[in-house]
Short mmCIF file of all heavy atoms in Angstrom, two decimals:
data_model
loop_
_atom_site.label_atom_id
_atom_site.label_comp_id
_atom_site.label_asym_id
_atom_site.label_seq_id
_atom_site.Cartn_x
_atom_site.Cartn_y
_atom_site.Cartn_z
N THR P 107 8.64 52.66 -151.87
CA THR P 107 10.03 52.09 -151.92
C THR P 107 10.22 51.05 -152.90
O THR P 107 9.19 50.53 -153.48
CB THR P 107 10.32 51.36 -150.47
OG1 THR P 107 9.40 50.27 -150.36
CG2 THR P 107 10.00 52.36 -149.35
N PRO P 108 11.49 50.70 -153.35
CA PRO P 108 11.65 49.71 -154.33
C PRO P 108 11.11 48.33 -153.95
O PRO P 108 10.84 47.56 -154.79
CB PRO P 108 13.20 49.61 -154.43
CG PRO P 108 13.68 50.96 -153.98
CD PRO P 108 12.72 51.31 -152.94
N ALA P 109 10.93 48.02 -152.66
CA ALA P 109 10.19 46.79 -152.30
C ALA P 109 8.77 46.79 -152.61
O ALA P 109 8.12 45.72 -152.67
CB ALA P 109 10.47 46.57 -150.76
N ILE P 110 8.10 48.02 -152.71
CA ILE P 110 6.67 48.06 -152.99
C ILE P 110 6.37 48.05 -154.49
O ILE P 110 5.48 47.37 -154.99
CB ILE P 110 6.06 49.37 -152.32
CG1 ILE P 110 6.15 49.22 -150.80
CG2 ILE P 110 4.62 49.50 -152.77
CD1 ILE P 110 5.74 50.47 -150.12
N GLY P 111 7.15 48.82 -155.21
CA GLY P 111 6.83 48.93 -156.66
C GLY P 111 7.63 49.96 -157.30
O GLY P 111 8.74 50.41 -156.89
N THR P 112 7.07 50.54 -158.42
CA THR P 112 7.79 51.54 -159.27
C THR P 112 7.03 52.77 -159.41
O THR P 112 5.77 52.72 -159.42
CB THR P 112 8.16 50.96 -160.70
OG1 THR P 112 6.97 50.53 -161.37
CG2 THR P 112 9.01 49.69 -160.50
N VAL P 113 7.72 53.87 -159.67
CA VAL P 113 7.15 55.19 -159.90
C VAL P 113 7.66 55.55 -161.27
O VAL P 113 8.90 55.77 -161.46
CB VAL P 113 7.45 56.20 -158.82
CG1 VAL P 113 6.86 57.54 -159.16
CG2 VAL P 113 6.99 55.67 -157.45
N THR P 114 6.81 55.96 -162.18
CA THR P 114 7.29 56.47 -163.50
C THR P 114 6.62 57.80 -163.74
O THR P 114 5.33 57.83 -163.88
CB THR P 114 6.90 55.46 -164.69
OG1 THR P 114 7.38 54.17 -164.32
CG2 THR P 114 7.52 55.90 -165.93
N ASP P 115 7.45 58.81 -163.98
CA ASP P 115 6.86 60.15 -164.25
C ASP P 115 6.51 60.19 -165.78
O ASP P 115 7.44 60.15 -166.66
CB ASP P 115 7.88 61.24 -163.90
CG ASP P 115 7.27 62.62 -163.99
OD1 ASP P 115 6.15 62.73 -164.49
OD2 ASP P 115 8.03 63.51 -163.56
N LEU P 116 5.25 60.39 -166.10
CA LEU P 116 4.81 60.46 -167.58
C LEU P 116 4.40 61.88 -167.95
O LEU P 116 3.81 62.11 -168.92
CB LEU P 116 3.68 59.40 -167.79
CG LEU P 116 4.00 58.03 -167.49
CD1 LEU P 116 2.70 57.13 -167.68
CD2 LEU P 116 5.14 57.51 -168.29
N SER P 117 4.76 62.85 -167.10
CA SER P 117 4.17 64.21 -167.28
C SER P 117 4.47 64.76 -168.63
O SER P 117 3.73 65.51 -169.23
CB SER P 117 4.78 65.13 -166.20
OG SER P 117 4.40 64.66 -164.83
N HIS P 118 5.61 64.48 -169.14
CA HIS P 118 6.07 64.97 -170.47
C HIS P 118 5.88 64.04 -171.61
O HIS P 118 6.19 64.24 -172.68
CB HIS P 118 7.51 65.42 -170.47
CG HIS P 118 7.75 66.46 -169.34
ND1 HIS P 118 7.29 67.80 -169.49
CD2 HIS P 118 8.42 66.42 -168.15
CE1 HIS P 118 7.58 68.40 -168.35
NE2 HIS P 118 8.37 67.67 -167.66
N GLY P 119 5.29 62.88 -171.21
CA GLY P 119 5.17 61.80 -172.20
C GLY P 119 3.72 61.55 -172.53
O GLY P 119 3.45 60.73 -173.47
N ARG P 120 2.76 62.13 -171.80
CA ARG P 120 1.41 61.91 -172.06
C ARG P 120 0.62 63.24 -172.35
O ARG P 120 1.05 64.26 -171.87
CB ARG P 120 0.74 61.20 -170.90
CG ARG P 120 1.21 59.87 -170.66
CD ARG P 120 0.75 58.76 -171.59
NE ARG P 120 1.04 57.50 -171.22
CZ ARG P 120 2.26 56.91 -171.45
NH1 ARG P 120 3.14 57.50 -172.07
NH2 ARG P 120 2.43 55.69 -171.01
N THR P 121 -0.44 63.18 -172.95
CA THR P 121 -1.36 64.34 -173.18
C THR P 121 -2.71 63.96 -172.73
O THR P 121 -3.12 62.90 -172.93
CB THR P 121 -1.43 64.76 -174.71
OG1 THR P 121 -0.16 65.14 -175.10
CG2 THR P 121 -2.36 65.90 -174.94
N ALA P 122 -3.34 64.94 -171.99
CA ALA P 122 -4.66 64.62 -171.30
C ALA P 122 -5.67 65.36 -172.15
O ALA P 122 -5.59 66.67 -172.17
CB ALA P 122 -4.70 64.98 -169.89
N ILE P 123 -6.70 64.67 -172.66
CA ILE P 123 -7.79 65.27 -173.45
C ILE P 123 -9.02 65.00 -172.72
O ILE P 123 -9.28 63.92 -172.35
CB ILE P 123 -7.84 64.72 -174.84
CG1 ILE P 123 -6.55 65.07 -175.59
CG2 ILE P 123 -9.01 65.22 -175.67
CD1 ILE P 123 -6.30 64.25 -176.98
N ARG P 124 -9.89 66.07 -172.57
CA ARG P 124 -11.22 65.85 -172.02
C ARG P 124 -12.27 65.94 -173.08
O ARG P 124 -12.33 66.89 -173.86
CB ARG P 124 -11.39 66.95 -170.88
CG ARG P 124 -12.87 66.76 -170.21
CD ARG P 124 -12.89 67.70 -168.97
NE ARG P 124 -12.07 67.04 -167.93
CZ ARG P 124 -11.75 67.73 -166.75
NH1 ARG P 124 -11.91 69.01 -166.67
NH2 ARG P 124 -10.85 67.06 -165.94
N ILE P 125 -13.22 64.99 -172.98
CA ILE P 125 -14.45 65.01 -173.83
C ILE P 125 -15.66 65.10 -172.90
O ILE P 125 -15.77 64.27 -171.95
CB ILE P 125 -14.52 63.91 -174.84
CG1 ILE P 125 -15.74 64.01 -175.61
CG2 ILE P 125 -14.38 62.57 -174.16
CD1 ILE P 125 -15.86 63.02 -176.82
N ALA P 126 -16.48 66.00 -173.14
CA ALA P 126 -17.77 66.11 -172.24
C ALA P 126 -18.89 66.43 -173.13
O ALA P 126 -18.72 66.93 -174.22
CB ALA P 126 -17.48 67.32 -171.19
N GLY P 127 -20.05 66.26 -172.62
CA GLY P 127 -21.32 66.64 -173.19
C GLY P 127 -22.27 65.36 -173.32
O GLY P 127 -21.84 64.26 -173.25
N PRO P 128 -23.44 65.59 -173.77
CA PRO P 128 -24.45 64.57 -173.83
C PRO P 128 -24.16 63.42 -174.82
O PRO P 128 -24.73 62.34 -174.70
CB PRO P 128 -25.72 65.24 -174.24
CG PRO P 128 -25.35 66.62 -174.70
CD PRO P 128 -24.05 66.82 -174.05
N LYS P 129 -23.27 63.69 -175.79
CA LYS P 129 -22.98 62.69 -176.77
C LYS P 129 -21.51 62.14 -176.61
O LYS P 129 -20.98 61.45 -177.49
CB LYS P 129 -23.07 63.33 -178.13
CG LYS P 129 -24.48 63.63 -178.67
CD LYS P 129 -25.26 62.34 -178.91
CE LYS P 129 -26.55 62.58 -179.51
NZ LYS P 129 -27.36 61.37 -179.80
N ALA P 130 -20.88 62.38 -175.37
CA ALA P 130 -19.56 61.85 -175.14
C ALA P 130 -19.47 60.36 -175.28
O ALA P 130 -18.53 59.92 -175.89
CB ALA P 130 -19.08 62.44 -173.81
N GLU P 131 -20.35 59.65 -174.64
CA GLU P 131 -20.37 58.20 -174.75
C GLU P 131 -20.45 57.79 -176.15
O GLU P 131 -19.75 56.82 -176.60
CB GLU P 131 -21.49 57.60 -173.93
CG GLU P 131 -21.36 57.73 -172.45
CD GLU P 131 -22.53 57.10 -171.67
OE1 GLU P 131 -23.40 56.35 -172.38
OE2 GLU P 131 -22.72 57.28 -170.49
N TRP P 132 -21.33 58.42 -176.95
CA TRP P 132 -21.56 58.00 -178.36
C TRP P 132 -20.38 58.29 -179.17
O TRP P 132 -20.03 57.36 -179.97
CB TRP P 132 -22.77 58.86 -178.88
CG TRP P 132 -23.23 58.58 -180.25
CD1 TRP P 132 -24.08 57.52 -180.68
CD2 TRP P 132 -22.86 59.39 -181.30
NE1 TRP P 132 -24.15 57.67 -182.06
CE2 TRP P 132 -23.50 58.79 -182.52
CE3 TRP P 132 -22.10 60.59 -181.57
CZ2 TRP P 132 -23.41 59.26 -183.75
CZ3 TRP P 132 -21.94 61.01 -182.86
CH2 TRP P 132 -22.67 60.40 -183.91
#
Side-chain angles (χ1 to χ4, degrees):
T107 66
I110 294 174
T112 61
V113 178
T114 307
D115 189 353
L116 302 177
S117 304
H118 301 292
R120 297 286 188 275
T121 297
I123 296 169
R124 176 168 291 164
I125 178 171
K129 291 290 188 179
E131 290 181 10
W132 181 81

